Amino acid sequence: YVVTTDRIVWIDPENHFVYTGNPNDERGQMRFLITNATQILDQNGTPVTLADLVPGEMVRIKHASFQTASIPPQTNAYVIELVSN
């Protein structure tokens, strides 16, 4: 897997996506697919839900090494860890 540390730009709970990167430039963003296997953890390592994440928070995301050629590129998130608010 690959690790990306960045700020959450937008959360799409209906379609299970978390977007990170530059809020003003879609080309500077990354879209992460959240599956039932994705672990989401707070700063203490306690499991939380997608609904607990907030745009602007810094996260560390362990994700697949592949990504789509779309804009923004998309990949599967394995673990999302909250780094700071």
Side-chain angles (χ1 to χ4, degrees):
Y1 60 85
V2 177
V3 177
T4 297
T5 302
D6 210 340
R7 292 208 179 272
I8 296 174
V9 174
W10 183 53
I11 300 165
D12 180 355
E14 188 173 298
N15 295 305
H16 309 282
F17 290 119
V18 170
Y19 293 75
T20 65
N22 184 341
N24 301 314
D25 183 8
E26 193 175 57
R27 293 181 184 272
Q29 296 177 6
M30 185 78 158
R31 180 169 59 184
F32 296 96
L33 175 62
I34 310 306
T35 68
N36 290 336
T38 304
Q39 291 182 305
I40 304 174
L41 308 170
D42 68 11
Q43 290 170 309
N44 299 316
T46 304
V48 295
T49 68
L50 183 59
D52 294 316
L53 298 178
V54 178
E57 291 179 321
M58 184 69 75
V59 289
R60 181 180 304 114
I61 303 177
K62 295 177 184 175
H63 58 87
S65 59
F66 63 86
Q67 62 188 30
T68 63
S70 60
I71 297 174
Q74 175 181 312
T75 191
N76 296 341
Y78 302 133
V79 179
I80 299 177
E81 301 170 296
L82 183 60
V83 176
S84 68
N85 294 338

